[in-house]
Amino acid sequence: MSEPVDPSEQKMRFLFHLRSRGVTDPRVLDAMERIDRGVFVRGHFEDRAYDDTPLPIPCGQTISQPSVVGLMTQALAVGPRDKVLEVGTGSGYQAAILALLCRRVYTVDRHRRLVAEAEEMFRHFGLTNITAMVADGSRGLPEQAPFDRIIVTAAAEDPPGPLLAQLKIGGIMVVPVGQSDAVQTLIRVRRSETGYDYDELRQVRFVPLVEGLGQA
Ligand code: SAH
């Protein structure tokens, strides 16, 4: 049996590891220090909450790997006045981190249960600038568009057209693309006056973006 780990020591190691994986933006690190991942990981996998690995959540989904959450947040270059759309609420971890960095987060998931549980998390952290909704995020959120930033935390074969259309000029979208059961590529899309510029960030592995609403 290993010794129980002191929580502040554990947090220090967690942040140190994030830095070693390239999460260097002090605002992102600060947000990840304040939003404790341990609160989002309950039950069986509780003792692995600070490991740099995705973990199972209800509805057959996953809470993303912390270093990937950090790198995606950093790549999104969120500003304090931004309106952000997240597709794939999941546990609510990514949305909670974003909420500390921008003006308002709209987050959607196709599973009602996940949205309800994520809303409890937002209350726990006293976050009042997140609107969580049950919706098929592959269509975006037309009634709140356009967005300064869009983050997709499930893999699509291509960046969904409605999401590209709902990005402001000058806006940034981060989205994993590729076949769902293979390694995918995280891409960053910037919208300019004349079109879209794409750059590849790294290889990742996400659950698939599925059209339509879930059963629960
Ligand atoms: N960002 C999450 C991890 C998300 S896992 C976190 O921080 O924990 C991916 C999520 O995308 C799953 O919860 C899944 O239900 C959701 N999803 C998949 N396809 C979707 C779609 N078309 N619309 C909305 N959500 C979708």
Side-chain angles (χ1 to χ4, degrees), residues 85-89 106-109 136-138 140 150-154 163 209:
L85 172 65
E86 179 194 29
V87 175
T89 312
Y106 291 91
T107 181
V108 299
D109 204 287
D136 176 0
S138 63
I150 300 178
I151 179 169
V152 186
T153 62
L163 295 181
L209 187 75

Side-chain angles (χ1 to χ4, degrees), residues 11-212:
K11 191 157 246 185
M12 217 175 67
R13 278 194 214 161
F14 180 73
L15 293 168
F16 183 82
H17 176 79
L18 290 175
R19 274 193 215 97
S20 78
R21 301 305 300 258
V23 185
T24 51
D25 182 331
R27 293 182 66 229
V28 175
L29 287 166
D30 177 59
M32 293 186 78
E33 182 171 2
R34 286 163 63 192
I35 303 297
D36 182 357
R37 191 173 188 248
V39 176
F40 294 81
V41 181
R42 286 280 154 249
H44 212 60
F45 293 95
E46 215 166 76
D47 58 342
R48 299 187 58 191
Y50 304 100
D51 290 358
D52 193 16
T53 179
L55 292 170
I57 58 172
C59 307
Q61 305 302 315
T62 53
I63 177 171
S64 310
Q65 187 178 345
S67 60
V68 172
V69 171
L71 291 169
M72 286 175 85
T73 309
Q74 193 165 278
L76 209 57
V78 186
R81 298 174 58 83
D82 285 349
K83 179 166 78 166
V84 180
L85 172 65
E86 179 194 29
V87 175
T89 312
S91 67
Y93 180 57
Q94 173 76 76
I97 291 166
L98 288 168
L100 295 182
L101 301 170
C102 70
R103 181 169 56 84
R104 176 149 292 274
V105 180
Y106 291 91
T107 181
V108 299
D109 204 287
R110 55 191 295 279
H111 290 290
R112 190 169 299 282
R113 172 173 175 190
L114 294 179
V115 170
E117 292 183 5
E119 283 177 322
E120 274 175 41
M121 293 292 129
F122 304 149
R123 277 193 289 278
H124 169 91
F125 287 99
L127 299 167
T128 54
N129 61 337
I130 309 179
T131 306
M133 279 181 273
V134 181
D136 176 0
S138 63
R139 298 159 184 266
L141 197 60
E143 62 272 28
Q144 296 298 339
F147 297 96
D148 299 289
R149 300 288 185 264
I150 300 178
I151 179 169
V152 186
T153 62
E157 282 188 27
D158 294 299
L163 295 181
L164 289 170
Q166 290 171 31
L167 193 60
K168 274 189 197 168
I169 290 171
I172 299 175
M173 170 158 75
V174 175
V175 51
V177 294
Q179 301 294 329
S180 61
D181 53 354
V183 171
Q184 305 130 7
T185 306
L186 186 64
I187 62 165
R188 176 170 46 195
V189 184
R190 292 172 203 264
R191 184 170 192 180
S192 68
E193 295 277 354
T194 50
Y196 298 89
D197 299 317
Y198 297 82
D199 61 305
E200 294 189 0
L201 301 178
R202 53 169 284 159
Q203 302 297 301
V204 286
R205 197 158 190 170
F206 276 86
V207 295
L209 187 75
V210 179
E211 288 188 14

